[in-house]
Amino acid sequence: MDWKVHKLKEGIYMITMTDKETRFFEALWEIPEGIQYNAYLLFTNDGSILFDTGPKGSRGFMEALSSVTDPKDVKALIVHHMEPDHSGYIRELLEVNPEIRVISHPISFRLMNSFYGITPSSKTEISDGMSMEVGGERLRFFLTPWLHWPETFVTFIEGVNALTTGDIFGAYSINGDFLKSSAGLSDQFYLWSMKKYFVNVIGAYRTHVVNAINKIKRLGIYPELILPAHGIAFYGRDSLERLLSIYENWASCSEKNEVVIVLTSMYGFTEEIAREVSAFLEEVPIKHRIFKFTSKGRDEFSEAIAAMQDAQGIIMISSTYENSPHPIIEYLADLMEKKLCRGKKLLLIGTYAWGGGSLATLTNSQTMAGFSISKIIPVNSMMTKSDRDNIREALREMFELTRF
């Protein structure tokens, strides 16, 4: 893990740690692209203010901080989010400088004791819309609960016209650039890293995302710097507007692009079906992606669930396992229920040997979760001409095609 310090503008610095070692973010999401953690340091007329720290279990944060300021000169610590990838150095910082004023949500102080066994000697509990002056700098706090923990909030720093946003607007990936203009939001690779992070980490709280967007819009602020806790920081007075628009689209699932095919296969029967489905979609043509979970290899859950975000339709092809859908398909279905917008069209295809009722539980769960089941097609292992015709007819109905 590599810590660096970057000057954003006069008086404010970004402390970044690039993490290529974590293979599964939150012990769940595959991130071969890596991830970056950010903290921020603001110099004032009376010492400095630190916004968040670094990940628990990492090394080097205190050295990075010491390269730009003496930790004993830090007068205040703002803790936006107590998840240990951002709060991991609170204890060490307080051991060096026990007089630091810790400013955070009331829940955060309970979590500090639970996580690290610490109770700051000087602490301030914030409330929504609260404004205070620290070291001559005016700070305003706005609660954004459940993005993605209950205690999360953002801070508007009036003097440097910056908004620190915690996990909001965060992204996976490690970039050579630490700061970009809002034009950087047109970078398709980075935008995908943001979307993947959004769906994986924040997707379960879409209603709260909409509430936070509306709240921030009403503030009437136009920060020149947007400072998230992961990924790139952005500058430009239109950055916030563009980021809010992106989040609004993702929260509402207003984009409808490719079709997603997910399949499990133990012996190749479902892969044959997937090839037939793919061939049909290419004839139309309809853009699609295939995610395979087979005996020979697996695609990434993090990519699959993120691709489903914008899918106009999802086709699930499951082998039968102990008279039920394959456990991986059941797991994906559970993720879909938690992370995706309701109303998406699903086509369920299941292969079986001696019993053909394995899709019943999946159908019930997905219907109850608010998805629209276009059709259910059982296939007795090897696909026949009749099965092929049924699948093609189901695809025509699913996508309302008058030809093909």
Side-chain angles (χ1 to χ4, degrees):
M1 297 187 181
D2 183 23
W3 284 100
K4 292 183 179 179
V5 178
H6 313 275
K7 184 175 182 179
L8 297 176
K9 62 185 293 188
E10 193 61 40
I12 187 163
Y13 290 77
M14 180 180 187
I15 305 173
T16 65
M17 190 195 81
T18 53
D19 178 5
K20 299 178 183 178
E21 298 174 13
T22 298
R23 294 178 57 207
F24 301 97
F25 191 64
E26 299 182 322
L28 174 60
W29 307 111
E30 306 95 334
I31 52 167
E33 62 269 69
I35 192 165
Q36 176 176 294
Y37 309 91
N38 306 326
Y40 299 92
L41 185 71
L42 175 69
F43 285 93
T44 76
N45 294 329
D46 182 22
S48 57
I49 304 171
L50 181 63
F51 298 84
D52 301 313
T53 64
K56 180 178 180 291
S58 65
R59 295 180 179 179
F61 177 79
M62 294 301 290
E63 289 82 356
L65 178 63
S66 298
S67 72
V68 68
T69 192
D70 187 337
K72 293 181 180 179
D73 289 335
V74 176
K75 300 299 182 183
L77 169 64
I78 315 296
V79 181
H80 291 100
H81 178 28
M82 271 300 297
E83 194 168 9
D85 57 338
H86 305 298
S87 66
Y89 275 85
I90 296 176
R91 183 188 185 99
E92 189 169 346
L93 191 61
L94 288 176
E95 287 174 351
V96 173
N97 184 355
E99 302 305 314
I100 291 177
R101 179 185 182 187
V102 181
I103 301 169
S104 194
H105 191 286
I107 293 175
S108 295
F109 293 105
R110 299 206 303 269
L111 296 177
M112 283 178 206
N113 186 54
S114 299
F115 290 175
Y116 309 117
I118 55 178
T119 300
S121 60
S122 175
K123 66 179 186 179
T124 301
E125 297 183 352
I126 66 150
S127 58
D128 193 31
M130 183 175 177
S131 176
M132 69 171 62
E133 195 168 289
V134 181
E137 293 287 340
R138 175 63 56 180
L139 307 178
R140 296 166 61 191
F141 307 106
F142 303 99
L143 304 186
T144 53
W146 295 111
L147 269 71
H148 59 119
W149 277 23
E151 85 297 8
T152 51
F153 63 96
V154 300
T155 303
F156 181 54
I157 311 168
E158 290 189 356
V160 293
N161 198 18
L163 186 70
T164 56
T165 61
D167 282 342
I168 304 171
F169 310 137
Y172 297 133
S173 76
I174 295 171
N175 298 272
D177 297 318
F178 62 92
L179 178 67
K180 282 189 175 183
S181 73
S182 58
L185 293 168
S186 299
D187 180 330
Q188 291 306 303
F189 172 78
Y190 191 75
L191 201 59
W192 172 252
S193 298
M194 277 186 65
K195 180 183 291 184
K196 182 176 168 183
Y197 179 87
F198 173 88
V199 179
N200 292 177
V201 178
I202 300 178
Y205 304 105
R206 292 172 187 275
T207 301
H208 298 281
V209 172
V210 173
N211 292 340
I213 288 168
N214 291 334
K215 172 186 281 189
I216 293 171
K217 281 182 176 179
R218 290 194 298 268
L219 298 179
I221 58 174
Y222 301 93
E224 294 176 358
L225 288 172
I226 306 296
L227 310 178
H230 295 289
I232 293 170
F234 289 94
Y235 69 89
R237 289 176 64 85
D238 64 336
S239 292
L240 180 60
E241 182 180 359
R242 292 190 63 177
L243 286 163
L244 289 174
S245 176
I246 288 168
Y247 258 46
E248 195 165 28
N249 286 337
W250 292 345
S252 62
C253 294
S254 60
E255 298 176 352
K256 296 290 185 287
N257 298 315
E258 61 197 8
V259 170
V260 171
I261 303 167
V262 293
L263 69 98
T264 56
S265 181
M266 293 181 283
Y267 303 110
F269 294 115
T270 55
E271 289 181 271
E272 182 186 356
I273 294 170
R275 285 192 290 270
E276 178 65 27
V277 171
S278 179
F280 177 89
L281 295 176
E282 287 175 1
E283 290 172 24
V284 175
I286 294 176
K287 185 180 178 184
H288 59 283
R289 291 181 69 182
I290 303 176
F291 294 92
K292 298 180 181 181
F293 300 86
T294 76
S295 300
K296 296 180 179 178
R298 293 182 182 179
D299 288 319
E300 297 167 4
F301 291 109
S302 58
E303 289 275 328
I305 200 70
M308 292 178 188
Q309 157 77 20
D310 300 333
Q312 57 174 300
I314 300 169
I315 300 165
M316 306 183 77
I317 310 173
S318 176
S319 46
T320 296
Y321 190 87
E322 296 178 347
N323 205 36
S324 297
H326 194 282
I328 286 179
I329 286 290
E330 291 187 310
Y331 176 57
L332 280 167
D334 183 60
L335 288 177
M336 289 165 58
E337 181 181 347
K338 290 181 171 70
K339 301 292 186 178
L340 301 181
C341 292
R342 304 297 182 253
K344 289 184 179 293
K345 292 182 179 180
L346 304 185
L347 172 60
L348 306 179
I349 305 173
T351 59
Y352 68 97
W354 58 86
S358 68
L359 290 179
T361 56
L362 188 60
T363 302
N364 292 336
S365 67
Q366 295 305 86
T367 301
M368 290 179 65
F371 295 103
S372 174
I373 310 295
S374 295
K375 205 160 190 177
I376 305 156
I377 303 177
V379 176
N380 191 188
S381 299
M382 186 177 69
M383 184 171 52
T384 65
K385 182 181 183 304
S386 176
D387 293 325
R388 184 176 288 105
D389 291 343
N390 287 340
I391 289 169
R392 285 183 164 251
E393 180 58 30
L395 291 168
R396 280 191 287 269
E397 292 177 6
M398 184 176 187
F399 300 112
E400 300 175 356
L401 302 173
T402 57
R403 59 193 185 95
F404 299 95

